[in-house]
Amino acid sequence: MFTNGVRLFLLVTTVAVLAACGGAPAAAPTSAPAAPTAAAEAPTAEAPAAAGANYVLVPKNLGNPYFDTANNGAQEAAKELGVTVTYQGPATADATQQIQLLNSLIAQKVNGLAISADDADALVPVGKEAIDSGIPVVTWDSAIAPGGRQVHINQAVSADIAAVQIQMASDLAGGEGQIAILSATSTAPNQNEWIDLMKTELAKPEYAKLELVDTVYGDDDDTKSYSEAQGLFKKYPDLKVIIAPTTVGIAASARAVQDGNLIGKVFVTGLGTPNQMREYVKSGAAPQFALWNPGDLGYLAIYTLDAIHTGKIKGNPGDTFTAGKLGDYTIDPDGVVLLGKPTIFNKDNIDSFDF
């Protein structure tokens, strides 16, 4: 998929945690949610003036620590490349808002778009319009369907992401019992793919004693995700694990477990960042979770976009380019560049990471 020099995150040994009894869930939060990092740009901001190229990093929504970390990596790449990267996105994870923003950016004639899609299919027409207008389109984190983008930067193989989450859930549940999924939006392409693959993973004989009782959606909103987690506690008194494949949902779910005095009875796992999850790992609310480095994802997205814009590559399968500190990459036959494998974080290694 790619050649030497790629910075891979390796899976580390997971921690098995035995379930014990706890109290009833609280009716409302007793601790305030972590304040989101301030967005770098408003969705209606004008394209910046710069000597080099002007690229725009478009997340699913602003105020999300995961995307803010990706922007940090994008800004690092911009500095190395001598270009300007503006960070603009919708206020909420909404495809209609994202399309409106992209139409505005196309009209501004920016030099490239790096997009985490709110809806794979709905964004195809606007992505195609950008490409037809001579604006390269790279997606990252969550892809626009082929036809609406040139290259997708995949954080990891989707099957690996699904497998590691089921593995962690099984470890935390002691190999048996009820589990539930708390996802982002119901239209998020990456979330839906991971959920489908998790269901496939659960069909394996080693997970025969795990029961997926529900899938709910927090819309990548902290308050709604917290409420959905509480709803799962009440609806399924024997629930052992919530899998939240979203950085907003996993933190909200872990906080709900902690606030509800359910540590040791219900465990949370999924995808999160070390800085947001450190407290919950150490408290036992979320003993282990996984992720790639979102900063590297944003960094790689901008290097890929720049390689297309400057003519170093056309964005075709087989094209090879160098992405700064991450090394060399090759676009695979599906038009995808793979960042690497996810890492499992737990109490033994979480303090070694800062993002």
Side-chain angles (χ1 to χ4, degrees), residues 54-60 67 74 81 85-86 88 98 102 105-106 110-118 120 123-124 126-132 134-155 296-311 313-316 319 321 323 329 331 334-339:
N54 300 327
Y55 304 137
V56 184
L57 186 76
V58 182
K60 290 178 185 173
F67 294 128
L81 292 166
V85 172
T86 308
Q88 300 187 44
Q98 198 172 45
L102 292 171
L105 294 172
I106 292 168
V110 298
N111 297 123
L113 295 168
I115 305 164
S116 176
D118 276 310
L123 267 67
V124 169
V126 71
K128 185 176 185 302
E129 181 183 350
I131 295 168
D132 290 345
I135 300 172
V137 175
V138 167
T139 57
W140 55 281
D141 174 67
S142 182
I144 298 175
R149 45 89 173 171
Q150 289 158 284
V151 178
H152 176 59
I153 312 301
N154 201 356
Q155 48 269 55
D296 286 349
L297 192 62
Y299 181 96
L300 180 55
I302 296 305
Y303 261 95
T304 307
L305 192 60
D306 187 73
I308 297 173
H309 173 68
T310 58
I313 62 173
K314 293 183 178 180
N316 295 329
D319 285 354
F321 64 100
Y329 287 85
I331 301 173
D334 295 323
V336 173
V337 172
L338 179 65
L339 177 63

Side-chain angles (χ1 to χ4, degrees), residues 142-221:
S142 182
I144 298 175
R149 45 89 173 171
Q150 289 158 284
V151 178
H152 176 59
I153 312 301
N154 201 356
Q155 48 269 55
V157 176
S158 294
D160 288 347
I161 296 171
V164 74
Q165 291 182 90
I166 295 301
Q167 174 197 342
M168 292 186 297
S170 180
D171 289 343
L172 294 172
E176 61 183 356
Q178 295 182 346
I179 65 173
I181 296 172
L182 193 157
S183 185
T185 64
S186 61
T187 60
N190 55 344
Q191 298 279 316
N192 289 335
E193 182 179 16
W194 297 336
I195 290 169
D196 287 343
L197 288 168
M198 281 192 273
K199 291 177 180 177
T200 299
E201 193 73 12
L202 282 169
K204 293 182 177 179
E206 57 265 40
Y207 300 125
K209 293 183 178 181
L210 290 177
E211 179 188 5
L212 177 62
V213 294
D214 210 344
T215 300
V216 298
Y217 300 91
D219 293 342
D220 260 352
D221 176 82

Side-chain angles (χ1 to χ4, degrees), residues 60-85:
K60 290 178 185 173
N61 61 293
L62 296 175
N64 184 321
Y66 171 86
F67 294 128
D68 292 340
T69 302
N71 179 48
N72 291 339
Q75 298 305 326
E76 180 183 354
K79 185 176 180 180
E80 294 174 2
L81 292 166
V83 301
T84 296
V85 172

Side-chain angles (χ1 to χ4, degrees), residues 8-20:
L8 295 178
F9 277 76
L10 301 176
L11 292 176
V12 297
T13 305
T14 57
V15 179
V17 182
L18 299 177

